[in-house]
Amino acid sequence: IVPEHSNIRPGKVVDKKKYIVIHNTGNYSPGATAKTHSIYLHNQTNNVDRLASWHYTVDDKEIYHHIPDNENAWHASDGAEGEGNTYGIAIEVCVNNFPGTYEGEKYEAFLQQFMRATKNTAYLVAKLMIENDIGMDGIKQHYDFAPDKKNCPMQMRYTSATGSYTRDDGDV
């Protein structure tokens, strides 16, 4: 857990969470695992230039917990009082080793790893849904809260049929 009173842990406690907000890390580097992102987040605790935080990071092997579920975090791009930041539990799904394309041998290797991360995320989402009494309509994408409709979670939004990104029916 990120230390209390750090710049990236706003500390606003809410009685009931309404959403689970899914993100992709956007870090394609080999080794950009849940542990690496946890270290990164802890190194940002006193950064005043970038206020970004989230509750969990998930990869194909591990899940790291960073901020208590009942607190807000800076993840949904909708401001200090925004629904996503205030009432969302943010999950970052690692996309390490993404080759920048949705075809070919390197993509197939990435996809196997990413599908394991996605299964771990599904487990975490189900657990959080039960613990917080959140229904399926409370499962959201970063895209749903971002005023600029940020393409996140990008890899989960891709559909090979059109070669573009979709809100509801990506391939993964």
Side-chain angles (χ1 to χ4, degrees), residues 13-48:
V13 175
V14 295
D15 291 333
K16 176 154 176 37
K17 290 293 187 167
K18 300 178 186 178
Y19 312 107
I20 298 168
V21 185
I22 307 297
H23 304 261
N24 286 149
T25 59
N27 187 345
Y28 304 155
S29 301
T33 63
K35 180 178 182 177
T36 304
H37 283 88
S38 179
I39 292 167
Y40 167 80
L41 198 58
H42 281 267
N43 287 339
Q44 298 298 309
T45 57
N46 293 314
N47 186 345
V48 295

Side-chain angles (χ1 to χ4, degrees), residues 24-37 57-63 92-99 104-122 155-156 172:
N24 286 149
T25 59
N27 187 345
Y28 304 155
S29 301
T33 63
K35 180 178 182 177
T36 304
H37 283 88
T57 308
V58 180
D59 67 18
D60 60 318
K61 295 180 178 75
E62 300 179 300
I63 299 172
E92 288 278 355
V93 183
C94 293
V95 292
N96 52 312
N97 294 316
F98 178 65
E105 194 173 301
K106 287 183 180 180
Y107 175 69
E108 292 302 321
F110 159 78
L111 190 57
Q112 288 181 12
Q113 177 181 312
F114 186 63
M115 288 307 296
R116 288 190 301 271
T118 301
K119 287 178 183 178
N120 289 344
T121 302
Q155 282 69 34
M156 292 177 175
V172 178

Side-chain angles (χ1 to χ4, degrees), residues 39-106:
I39 292 167
Y40 167 80
L41 198 58
H42 281 267
N43 287 339
Q44 298 298 309
T45 57
N46 293 314
N47 186 345
V48 295
D49 296 326
R50 183 169 190 257
L51 297 178
S53 55
W54 54 93
H55 297 86
Y56 295 89
T57 308
V58 180
D59 67 18
D60 60 318
K61 295 180 178 75
E62 300 179 300
I63 299 172
Y64 279 77
H65 192 185
H66 312 293
I67 293 182
D69 296 348
N70 66 337
E71 291 184 19
N72 67 329
W74 305 122
H75 63 93
S77 305
D78 64 351
E81 302 299 321
E83 284 279 307
N85 282 337
T86 302
Y87 297 104
I89 299 172
I91 300 174
E92 288 278 355
V93 183
C94 293
V95 292
N96 52 312
N97 294 316
F98 178 65
T101 182
Y102 292 92
E103 58 188 9
E105 194 173 301
K106 287 183 180 180

Side-chain angles (χ1 to χ4, degrees), residues 102 154-166 169-172:
Y102 292 92
M154 189 170 105
Q155 282 69 34
M156 292 177 175
R157 294 168 46 79
Y158 183 78
T159 178
S160 57
T162 61
S164 62
Y165 303 93
T166 179
D169 59 356
D171 291 349
V172 178

